[in-house]
Amino acid sequence: MPATAQPRTPVYWKIHDTTRAQPPVVNPGPAPDAPQPAPSDAIVLFDGDNLDAWEHPDGESASWTLRENYVEVDTGRGDIRTKEAFGDVQLHLEWMTNPSVTGSGQGRGNSGVFLMGTYEVQVLDSYENPTYPDGQAAALYGQYPPLANATRPPGEWQTYDIVFRRPHFDKDGSVVTPARVTVYHNGVLVQDRVGLTGPTAHHDRPPYEEHAARLPLRLQDHGDGAVRYRNIWLRELE
Ligand code: MG
């Protein structure tokens, strides 16, 4: 059955189910020449100059490697997160995997964008690099494969435009509305307001745990070399 005809809801599928169809490959066109300018009401989290808006989860200054107009994951140094906390957001960021390809599957250019530090939009070199569909680039990790594989080749800049609506909890901590996520990958709609089952995790779909209305955005050091980010900004939606 083609991916577009299969049910999307995670309940139909084992986590990291390899019997799920691979999403169709879509060529998104050439990478933009320059970073997409931030709108006037955006909070700019990284414009290429410095990592002042970021820290490691232990509170240490963010020490990933600054290059000309981008930052590179400093493998082994650990994740970085924003100092500020956010709830509902429109998030734009640009990423690139290592032009010199090493590894395969989940070990090729793995990183991730963790909304509220909890809900991962996967970053991976998914250009001619098959892996389980709910773990490829632009997957909501372990839950929703993207509607299409719009990944550009390694060494080219790629964009994510994400609309994230946080989960809401009742007074007793139960979920009233789940987190909802829409993602455009290189301008291609790949997640259409999907409702998450809870936090994303490896080989696990843990239930929601009540958390604050605002939490930091986190970027993952998965241990894979030379994943790069540039031009990170967001607009608050609440
Ligand atoms: Mg990841």
Side-chain angles (χ1 to χ4, degrees):
M1 192 167 23
T4 47
Q6 291 187 340
R8 292 272 293 151
T9 314
V11 70
Y12 288 101
W13 303 98
K14 294 199 298 281
I15 192 159
H16 311 322
D17 198 328
T18 52
T19 68
R20 279 179 113 155
Q22 293 287 336
V25 173
V26 172
N27 181 346
D33 291 334
Q36 181 183 320
S40 61
D41 64 348
I43 296 172
V44 176
L45 296 170
F46 177 65
D47 66 2
D49 279 348
N50 63 67
L51 288 169
D52 290 356
W54 301 80
E55 63 185 8
H56 291 287
D58 61 7
E60 292 287 311
S61 300
S63 62
W64 286 5
T65 309
L66 280 169
R67 305 281 190 198
E68 201 161 320
N69 68 341
Y70 63 87
V71 63
E72 192 171 289
V73 177
D74 186 3
T75 302
R77 184 60 189 84
D79 298 356
I80 61 172
R81 69 179 184 190
T82 55
K83 293 176 181 171
E84 211 175 327
F86 305 100
D88 290 358
V89 294
Q90 174 190 341
L91 171 67
H92 174 90
L93 60 81
E94 302 177 17
W95 57 273
M96 178 195 287
T97 56
N98 194 342
S100 148
V101 170
T102 56
S104 63
Q106 292 291 303
R108 184 183 295 180
N110 195 332
S111 182
V113 179
F114 283 73
L115 297 144
M116 304 192 91
T118 306
Y119 309 103
E120 182 183 16
V121 180
Q122 172 73 307
V123 168
L124 191 75
D125 177 4
S126 285
Y127 187 80
E128 298 176 353
N129 178 37
T131 186
Y132 44 83
D134 69 12
Q136 70 170 69
L140 273 309
Y141 188 76
Q143 299 186 28
Y144 294 92
L147 292 164
N149 179 354
T151 311
R152 292 197 176 103
E156 295 189 16
W157 284 106
Q158 322 220 18
T159 61
Y160 277 168
D161 288 282
I162 298 170
V163 178
F164 175 76
R165 297 287 182 179
R166 67 179 174 89
H168 288 253
F169 300 94
D170 214 341
K171 285 192 179 63
D172 67 0
S174 59
V175 182
V176 178
T177 51
R180 290 204 175 272
V181 191
T182 297
V183 181
Y184 291 84
H185 182 188
N186 296 328
V188 177
L189 179 68
V190 290
Q191 300 290 353
D192 189 4
R193 206 169 175 269
V194 295
L196 298 183
T197 60
T200 57
H202 185 54
H203 281 294
D204 194 14
R205 290 194 190 124
Y208 280 101
E209 279 185 39
E210 186 176 11
H211 58 63
R214 288 167 178 267
L215 287 169
L217 173 72
R218 179 162 59 91
L219 299 177
Q220 184 184 37
D221 169 13
H222 187 271
D224 299 348
V227 180
R228 298 153 186 186
Y229 290 95
R230 74 176 184 186
N231 192 27
I232 307 173
W233 51 260
L234 58 77
R235 298 177 59 249
E236 293 188 288
L237 302 178
E238 62 172 350

